[in-house]
Amino acid sequence: MKLDTKSKLKRYIECENISSVLNNTKWDRLFKELQKIDFTLDFQRKDLDQSEPGPDDWDADLYHVMGAWEQIEWLNIRALISHPKGDLIKPEIENNTQLLINALQQSGIPYCIYHDGIRIWGYLRPGISPEWEST
């Protein structure tokens, strides 16, 4: 299914009994906050009409990920930078997750800790109860 019109999206949300978490104002606030960050971020996005992305499906382009906000079910963000040390030595990983969390708290965006980053929910399906971090 392709949710290409607002009326189709609204019908789908009502039919599936999906609850909204973020509105356009909060998505816009998040986008502006992420633009200010001067370290590398990776994004993994799931839209309402898409299947779960694979574990290697990450995108580092903020402008590619942040369009069509009204369709984002969730957005994973990780702030890990890999510094190679050589062919035989594991790379050093710089973790900037706390800096990312600070930016989210500044903008009042609700989030959850998720694996090696954070998850921002756009919508919640029935039976999903995230463990929210306090903002």
Side-chain angles (χ1 to χ4, degrees):
M1 173 179 57
K2 197 71 174 157
L3 299 176
D4 54 359
T5 66
K6 289 189 184 222
S7 62
K8 283 183 184 178
L9 177 64
K10 185 177 178 183
R11 280 194 309 272
Y12 179 77
I13 289 169
E14 289 172 356
C15 179
E16 296 292 318
N17 201 24
I18 297 172
S19 302
S20 176
V21 177
L22 292 188
N23 58 24
N24 284 345
T25 302
K26 289 212 177 200
W27 279 116
D28 186 53
R29 190 180 311 151
L30 173 64
F31 179 69
K32 287 177 181 171
E33 207 56 47
L34 294 175
Q35 284 178 308
K36 297 177 192 175
I37 292 177
D38 62 353
F39 52 84
T40 304
L41 295 173
D42 285 321
F43 303 93
Q44 195 176 50
R45 172 180 166 157
K46 182 190 178 305
D47 284 359
L48 288 169
D49 63 341
Q50 292 179 335
S51 59
E52 295 269 333
D56 296 326
D57 294 336
W58 290 88
D59 189 338
D61 187 348
L62 173 65
Y63 297 95
H64 179 251
V65 173
M66 290 303 288
W69 299 330
E70 64 277 353
Q71 295 185 26
I72 301 174
E73 185 168 344
W74 53 254
L75 181 68
N76 289 337
I77 307 172
R78 69 181 178 191
L80 305 175
I81 301 171
S82 178
H83 299 285
K85 296 289 184 183
D87 289 340
L88 301 176
I89 301 172
K90 288 185 178 181
E92 179 183 324
I93 304 296
E94 179 184 339
N95 189 339
N96 291 309
T97 303
Q98 191 56 52
L99 295 171
L100 172 60
I101 289 171
N102 292 345
L104 295 173
Q105 289 175 336
Q106 288 287 324
S107 59
I109 301 295
Y111 65 94
C112 301
I113 301 297
Y114 186 78
H115 296 296
D116 55 359
I118 60 107
R119 177 172 279 185
I120 311 247
W121 288 92
Y123 295 96
L124 293 176
R125 293 182 184 271
I128 303 234
S129 299
E131 292 183 31
W132 300 107
E133 298 294 320
S134 58
T135 56

